[in-house]
Amino acid sequence: QRAPDESRAGASAAAPLPGRGHHGGDDRLDLPHHAGKTQRPADDLLASGKYMYCLFFHHLALEKALKALVLQKGKELVYTHKLVALAKISDLPLTDEQIRDLSRITDFNIEARYDDYKSEFYKTATLDFTQEWAHKCNELYTLIIKRI
């Protein structure tokens, strides 16, 4: 199984998002709120020992926060889970290390979601690994939210 935007390796942009939520409303306006609602469960999952899903939720929170920043800048949303691409669209100034971290965090979306990767990621997502990356995710999340 592949993620929708991962099958187009090297593709620079994907199709614009329609902007309509699952319930017919415009979810784009609530992205900062949804990002926060996703960030909190990530911490709960860490505390309950569900490390793989903790990292997956951290990715979701960062994705939603970056998409909120893209909208706040008046730019068009694109359908992608790639955090580096979203950060570039949002003009978020990042260090090389932060760019590498966002790239690695994007992998958490794929590794926790698709059966082909889950087994190996389950072994990788130890307590120490998850604590380290949860801390990095929280720092990046704070950086993004401060700009919204």
Side-chain angles (χ1 to χ4, degrees):
Q1 293 175 325
R2 289 183 187 209
D5 64 342
E6 300 307 314
S7 62
R8 295 186 304 268
S12 60
L17 292 176
R20 306 291 300 172
H22 296 295
H23 305 289
D26 191 340
D27 282 347
R28 296 176 302 177
L29 301 176
D30 284 337
L31 275 170
H33 173 73
H34 289 297
K37 286 178 70 173
T38 306
Q39 182 75 4
R40 286 183 289 282
D43 295 331
D44 294 341
L45 288 163
L46 174 61
S48 67
K50 295 181 171 93
Y51 306 138
M52 183 172 64
Y53 294 107
C54 164
L55 296 172
F56 175 74
F57 269 75
H58 273 296
H59 171 274
L60 289 177
L62 288 168
E63 180 182 337
K64 289 176 183 182
L66 284 166
K67 286 180 177 179
L69 184 57
V70 166
L71 287 173
Q72 189 261 339
K73 298 275 187 165
K75 297 189 176 185
E76 183 93 15
L77 281 180
V78 295
Y79 177 78
T80 186
H81 300 297
K82 295 178 181 178
L83 301 180
V84 174
L86 291 167
K88 286 181 182 178
I89 294 167
S90 73
D91 299 320
L92 181 66
L94 296 170
T95 65
D96 289 343
E97 181 181 358
Q98 289 169 324
I99 291 169
R100 283 190 303 273
D101 288 348
L102 285 176
S103 181
R104 178 63 180 117
I105 294 163
T106 295
D107 293 341
F108 301 159
N109 176 37
I110 305 305
E111 293 170 341
R113 197 171 184 181
Y114 297 96
D115 291 336
D116 296 350
Y117 302 97
K118 276 185 182 179
S119 178
E120 191 60 35
F121 188 48
Y122 183 80
K123 295 175 198 170
T124 301
T126 63
L127 173 60
D128 289 341
F129 179 89
T130 305
Q131 286 176 328
E132 174 187 349
W133 281 98
H135 178 75
K136 289 180 182 192
C137 289
N138 284 328
E139 287 182 341
L140 286 163
Y141 180 82
T142 300
L143 174 75
I144 297 162
I145 290 298
K146 283 182 178 179
R147 295 186 169 271
I148 298 174

